[in-house]
Amino acid sequence: MNDYSFIKEVIKEKPFDKKAFFTKAALIVLGAVLFGIIAAITFVRVLPGAAAGMGVGREVPQLNNDEDLSQEEEAPAAGEEEAQESTQIIEVPAELGLSDYKQFYQDMVAASRTASRSVVTVTGITDNMDWFNNTYENQSQLSGMIIANTSQDLFILTEYRGVENVDRIQVTFWDNTSVDAHFQRQDPNTGLCVLKIAVSEVESSTMSTLAAAPLGNSYGAKQGDPIMALGSPMGYSDSMAFGMLTSVSNEVSAWDSDYTLLTTDIVGTKEGSGVLLNLDGEIIGVILQSYSGGSNMVTCVGVSEIAGLMETLSNNKDRPYIGIRGQAVTEEIADKTGIPVGIYVSEVQVDSPAMLAGCMNGDVITEMEGKTVKNIEEYSRMLQECKPGETVKVTAMRKGAEGYTEIVFDVTVGAL
């Protein structure tokens, strides 16, 4: 065999080329210089426009209260008009101090001044005798308000619980003068009643300062409205409290009607009474703690809803009465449940005209005297147009084994 030998190579480093190195370094330095020059030129040209767009360096507008401004200051240059038009001056309100806080409450008290002269204290007095034949008096106090002032009589609205089964009723006016009052009529549905006072029994100096209650529109009351409670919301007379309306949508069911409640965040007592005022000094509610559901928060019924009731009681007239409690069945409820549109009777009062006519729980009243009835408001309004002793036809739907059947009742309207 022939002997082979591999070529042996030795790798040597390339010799350092000084000329190429310095040439390359010079090119890098030249490129950096050129980049810096271009960047500087660009920055100088772009910066003013960018600063103007971002508002950097623009002078802050100053308010000048001097009346003798120069013509040049009053008429800015054309280029400045657009910038000034877009400038909005925001005024930061001064921080409220204790004096402002005090003035706020004083203004509220001032707004209630007229209404306070229409609010009275009603005292029911009962004469009793002890085991030793000594006589003594029991007294109960509530607030009331003057709802009418004729040339002969004053009419006072208050709660019947304060004057029930008493021997004497005394009314104290805002100037602390007192006179005896006479019971006029009550509404067992709401517990309200009206008292009557002969104008001739009131001192002329007092009569000249009295005012009938300035009644407002309770339908316009809104949740969150600031209000004042006047009378005896905490159970003692001649008191006042401030707060706001927490709800204006709750309802309470009464016989033949519904009432919308005005609830507040004012802490009262179950014995509290009086009226509710708005910031215009108008009475928008009458405090009825019996509707509070056991809560201590002041609860009222709107004056707009009892305006007709106050008139009826003042005129000593009977109120038409059938004796049902109900709930409106809307078209939406009817679609979901199959119950006819109308008033679902939830309760019939014992021995009431409705019960005597054959009306039962679960019936749905749809018509009265041939007119469609869709809610309690319509039903109540139609009922008030009737006269006690009058016979009216009430149409209802009653559920049976095969569905709802129409029934017509002849109801003899009663009186309250």
Side-chain angles (χ1 to χ4, degrees):
M1 294 180 61
N2 296 325
D3 294 330
Y4 295 95
S5 61
F6 292 94
I7 299 174
K8 294 182 179 180
E9 295 181 354
V10 178
I11 299 175
K12 295 183 179 180
E13 293 184 2
K14 185 178 180 178
F16 178 71
D17 190 345
K18 294 182 178 181
K19 183 178 179 180
F21 173 78
F22 285 111
T23 301
K24 188 174 182 180
L27 290 174
I28 292 174
V29 171
L30 180 61
V33 172
L34 290 174
F35 178 80
I37 293 172
I38 294 172
I41 295 172
T42 303
F43 185 75
V44 170
R45 290 182 175 273
V46 174
L47 178 61
M54 295 183 292
V56 178
R58 184 182 298 170
E59 292 185 3
V60 178
Q62 300 292 328
L63 295 179
N64 195 334
N65 294 326
D66 296 334
E67 295 181 359
D68 53 344
L69 294 175
S70 66
Q71 184 68 24
E72 183 179 354
E73 290 175 330
E74 292 178 356
E80 297 177 358
E81 289 182 356
E82 184 177 351
Q84 289 188 4
E85 288 178 359
S86 62
T87 302
Q88 295 183 357
I89 301 172
I90 301 175
E91 295 184 3
V92 180
E95 187 174 334
L96 294 177
L98 291 178
S99 59
D100 300 307
Y101 193 68
K102 179 180 179 180
Q103 186 62 45
F104 170 73
Y105 281 103
Q106 288 179 343
D107 290 343
M108 293 184 73
V109 173
S112 69
R113 187 166 293 124
T114 300
S116 65
R117 297 195 176 191
S118 68
V119 176
V120 300
T121 300
V122 178
T123 305
I125 303 172
T126 305
D127 295 324
N128 291 300
M129 185 174 294
D130 61 19
W131 292 100
F132 303 100
N133 294 327
N134 296 318
T135 58
Y136 65 94
E137 292 182 344
N138 279 336
Q139 296 185 359
S140 60
Q141 285 190 343
L142 291 173
S143 290
M145 67 174 177
I146 303 172
I147 57 175
N149 181 0
T150 68
S151 58
Q152 295 182 335
D153 299 302
L154 291 175
F155 294 92
I156 311 294
L157 182 74
T158 189
E159 292 183 72
Y160 182 62
R161 63 184 173 94
V163 297
E164 184 178 8
N165 299 324
V166 298
D167 297 316
R168 187 159 57 98
I169 302 172
Q170 191 176 69
V171 171
T172 303
F173 299 109
W174 73 277
D175 61 354
N176 291 323
T177 59
S178 299
V179 295
D180 286 343
H182 305 280
F183 176 77
Q184 174 87 343
R185 199 174 189 88
Q186 68 139 333
D187 173 43
N189 209 7
T190 58
L192 293 172
C193 73
V194 166
L195 311 176
K196 185 170 69 173
I197 299 173
V199 170
S200 59
E201 298 179 7
V202 183
E203 295 180 9
S204 58
S205 58
T206 299
M207 276 299 305
S208 63
T209 60
L210 294 181
L215 302 181
N217 178 17
S218 62
Y219 293 128
K222 297 181 179 61
Q223 186 180 38
D225 284 353
I227 41 85
M228 298 172 277
L230 206 63
S232 53
M234 282 75 109
Y236 50 88
S237 61
D238 193 25
S239 59
M240 177 183 290
F242 305 99
M244 74 171 187
L245 291 175
T246 57
S247 174
V248 295
S249 59
N250 292 322
E251 292 185 346
V252 60
S253 180
W255 297 116
D256 298 319
S257 60
D258 273 351
Y259 294 105
T260 301
L261 298 181
L262 306 179
T263 59
T264 75
D265 62 351
I266 300 175
V267 178
T269 66
K270 66 178 182 179
E271 301 299 329
S273 60
V275 296
L276 203 67
L277 279 68
N278 58 24
L279 292 190
D280 294 325
E282 299 170 332
I283 295 175
I284 59 172
V286 176
I287 298 175
L288 291 178
Q289 290 300 88
S290 58
Y291 286 161
S292 66
S295 169
N296 285 335
M297 311 312 290
V298 170
T299 304
C300 306
V301 62
V303 292
S304 300
E305 292 192 285
I306 61 172
L309 171 63
M310 290 189 290
E311 183 179 355
T312 301
L313 296 178
S314 298
N315 292 326
N316 200 18
K317 293 182 178 179
D318 292 329
R319 299 193 68 226
Y321 156 72
I322 287 179
I324 63 108
R325 293 182 192 265
Q327 181 179 351
V329 180
T330 63
E331 293 183 0
E332 182 180 358
I333 295 175
D335 291 340
K336 292 180 180 179
T337 63
I339 301 174
V341 174
I343 300 173
Y344 181 86
V345 178
S346 58
E347 186 178 359
V348 179
Q349 192 172 27
V350 177
D351 295 331
S352 65
M355 175 174 282
L356 296 176
C359 186
M360 299 174 59
N361 294 356
D363 289 346
V364 181
I365 297 175
T366 57
E367 293 181 3
M368 179 179 289
E369 286 293 286
K371 297 180 180 179
T372 302
V373 178
K374 292 184 178 180
N375 52 54
I376 292 292
E377 289 76 18
E378 291 181 352
Y379 165 82
S380 233
R381 187 170 57 252
M382 293 179 187
L383 179 59
Q384 296 309 311
E385 295 174 356
C386 301
K387 296 180 180 180
E390 179 183 355
T391 299
V392 297
K393 291 188 178 296
V394 178
T395 303
M397 302 296 289
R398 179 173 294 175
K399 189 173 184 180
E402 298 180 358
Y404 282 92
T405 305
E406 183 178 290
I407 299 176
V408 178
F409 304 107
D410 289 327
V411 183
T412 301
V413 179
L416 287 176

